[in-house]
Amino acid sequence: MSSAEVVWGGQWEHPACGASGEAMWEDEATVDAGHDCGRDGAVVWSAEWRCQGCGGEGDGQFEDDSPVYSDHECDDEDEEVAA
């Protein structure tokens, strides 16, 4: 499976100032909210992923500027070969 088949979408929030937003990205990308208000505290993400190949899903929470991996191994190709 190509990791490009897994797509993430989620919301970020900076609790120190209340700013928030949404974004979508491919698996194994580094998330970056692009938020820099100068206040202390981390920007946190809450996101979900979906495999476009087999429909698998999952979620995760992480800090900004983190590489994000689903650790998903799609079995879709194996099932087609067995059929």
Side-chain angles (χ1 to χ4, degrees):
M1 180 200 95
S2 166
S3 61
E5 290 184 44
V6 173
V7 178
W8 285 82
Q11 299 176 333
W12 62 268
E13 179 182 8
H14 187 212
C17 72
S20 62
E22 297 180 347
M24 292 184 70
W25 62 94
E26 292 184 359
D27 202 24
E28 301 180 11
T30 298
V31 294
D32 180 11
H35 176 72
D36 186 15
C37 69
R39 293 188 182 179
D40 289 338
V43 170
V44 293
W45 286 85
S46 180
E48 298 177 348
W49 61 265
R50 181 172 176 89
C51 177
Q52 302 300 308
C54 72
E57 298 176 320
D59 59 18
Q61 289 77 37
F62 33 84
E63 290 188 3
D64 205 28
D65 296 322
S66 298
V68 180
Y69 301 93
S70 65
D71 291 328
H72 174 66
E73 293 185 25
C74 188
D75 293 328
D76 190 41
E77 293 175 9
D78 295 337
E79 291 174 10
E80 288 178 11
V81 171

